[in-house]
Each structure stands twice: as C-alpha cells, then as structure tokens.
Amino acid sequence: MFQQDSGLPVTAQADVAGPVGGFGWELKLIQGAPKTLQFQFLEVRSDNPLMFHIAYPPGTGVSITANAAWCTSDQYYSCKEVFQSVSSVAAVRSSLGNTYFMNQTTGILSVRIIQFPQTYTGNPNWFLPKATDTGKWGSGFAVERFERSGVYLPMLTWGPWLEIAANCAASGPFCSQLPLNVTLPVCSAGYQQVAYDKCCSITNPTTCVFANGSSR
C-alpha cells in the first residue's frame, strides 16, 4: 500500500495477488462497502503478515469468522473462529490472525489475513500455523506447501473461507450508506513513505520506521 497510489482495479470474485509484509492492502469499491466479503484460496506465509483495510460507514458493526471445510467440531478440533476486536492496527498485526480493529471515527476496518488449515481452525484453540506444524491427527502439515531445496511456499486449499459480515442496512450487496472518503494513513506525521514497508523522517531521512514497528 502506497499512500499516493490509486492501486489496481478489482471486480466481483477477484483473484488478487501481490506483495505482503508491508503496510497492507486497502480495498475500495465504487458502490461502497460490501455487506458480506469472503476470502478464499489463500496463500500467505505465517511469518509475513498480510494486513487488509476497508472503510465502512462510521458506526458499522462487523462479524468476522474463519470457517473450515468438511469439519465437525469436537474436543480436539474446532471448525469456526469468531474474531475479537482489539484497540489498534498494531495489535491486529502482532496477533495470531483472529482479531480486528474498527476505527470508530473513520470507519476503517483492519484485519490480518492468515492461511489457516483446510479442515479445522483450532486444535481446539485457534493458532497461527507455522511451516512445521503437523496436520489433523498428525497427518501431513497444517498448511499444504510446495517445498524443494530449502524453498517453502504455502499452497491454497479448496473449501475454507474467511468472512466479513457488516451489520448495516443494505442496498443490494452493499451497505446503503456510503463510507467516508478516507484512506488509512501509512506514515506518522513528519514522515513520508519511501518503500512498500518503510517510512522515513522528512527532515532526517536516515531516521526510518518499518511496517512491523521496528526502526533505525
């Protein structure tokens, strides 16, 4: 996400790919905020956060869930995770991927998108799958992958989905009220964005902060 970049056009059932680990992706739709938004076929490493931001009409409540495919909850595995609200974007970024932050002034929602296992969401508690985590009943891996000669890439799976449902009056698939024309600030006051994941001081360009909160 670049503050001055208008980005790429998307359509319904969009297939979107791009860099992760920076300040995140921001989605804006011409007709406003979607009543329901689903994410499927995810390919995201657990150690490289993908932050997602979208504006809703201020005051809109949301329900965010991760849903496993072909799953029956029991004492060992869970099939659905309801995300919890936290107090900042930074808290979302550093979380296990089951939280969100809604800015009540601007209406901007921030969520961390993670790739969770295909047939369960927790064992039984939610977790952020690492490359070494084993799959259900100790079979295979929690997240499918391509791996060769030390190169590891997560692979999408069919069935599971992440859903954002907005509690708003609807006009078709969109909230009736339009969101504010706002953009999530990428850099703090006195800083400018110089890279996908870095902001540097305008007066002292050697002083920089990164998307993950580190600085130099």
Side-chain angles (χ1 to χ4, degrees):
M1 184 170 71
F2 279 90
Q3 186 100 32
Q4 306 303 321
D5 189 351
S6 59
L8 300 174
V10 296
T11 59
Q13 297 185 343
D15 187 358
V16 181
V20 298
F23 292 100
W25 296 3
E26 184 175 26
L27 177 65
K28 287 187 176 183
L29 300 176
I30 293 173
Q31 291 182 265
K35 178 77 173 174
T36 302
L37 185 62
Q38 288 190 355
F39 301 83
Q40 296 176 294
F41 314 127
L42 298 170
E43 292 179 319
V44 184
R45 288 178 57 129
S46 62
D47 58 356
N48 207 3
L50 169 55
M51 294 294 295
F52 175 81
H53 314 280
I54 184 172
Y56 285 90
T60 300
V62 295
S63 173
I64 306 177
T65 56
N67 304 271
W70 309 297
C71 178
T72 300
S73 294
D74 56 28
Q75 61 182 316
Y76 304 105
Y77 294 100
S78 54
C79 301
K80 181 176 181 178
E81 177 74 9
V82 178
F83 287 26
Q84 302 299 313
S85 174
V86 293
S87 60
S88 68
V89 175
V92 174
R93 184 184 186 92
S94 62
S95 75
L96 296 178
N98 60 343
T99 63
Y100 68 91
F101 172 66
M102 174 67 83
N103 187 307
Q104 296 300 322
T105 301
T106 64
I108 295 178
L109 171 70
S110 299
V111 183
R112 179 178 177 180
I113 306 296
I114 79 157
Q115 184 174 353
F116 54 94
Q118 180 183 32
T119 58
Y120 64 103
T121 58
N123 53 1
N125 296 322
W126 173 270
F127 71 111
L128 178 62
K130 301 184 293 294
T132 54
D133 287 334
T134 56
K136 205 168 189 178
W137 309 119
S139 176
F141 292 98
V143 172
E144 297 296 326
R145 84 276 304 287
F146 168 85
E147 190 171 14
R148 182 179 298 168
S149 300
V151 176
Y152 159 71
L153 298 173
M155 292 176 58
L156 66 85
T157 53
W158 296 84
W161 75 99
L162 176 67
E163 180 173 287
I164 300 173
N167 181 18
C168 63
S171 176
F174 298 95
C175 294
S176 300
Q177 181 183 349
L178 290 174
L180 300 177
N181 185 21
V182 292
T183 297
L184 183 75
V186 173
C187 302
S188 303
Y191 284 72
Q192 62 182 354
Q193 190 173 11
V194 297
Y196 178 72
D197 64 346
K198 183 170 70 172
C199 295
C200 293
S201 169
I202 296 173
T203 57
N204 183 9
T206 61
T207 300
C208 301
V209 293
F210 295 85
N212 64 3
S214 63
S215 61
R216 67 162 176 81

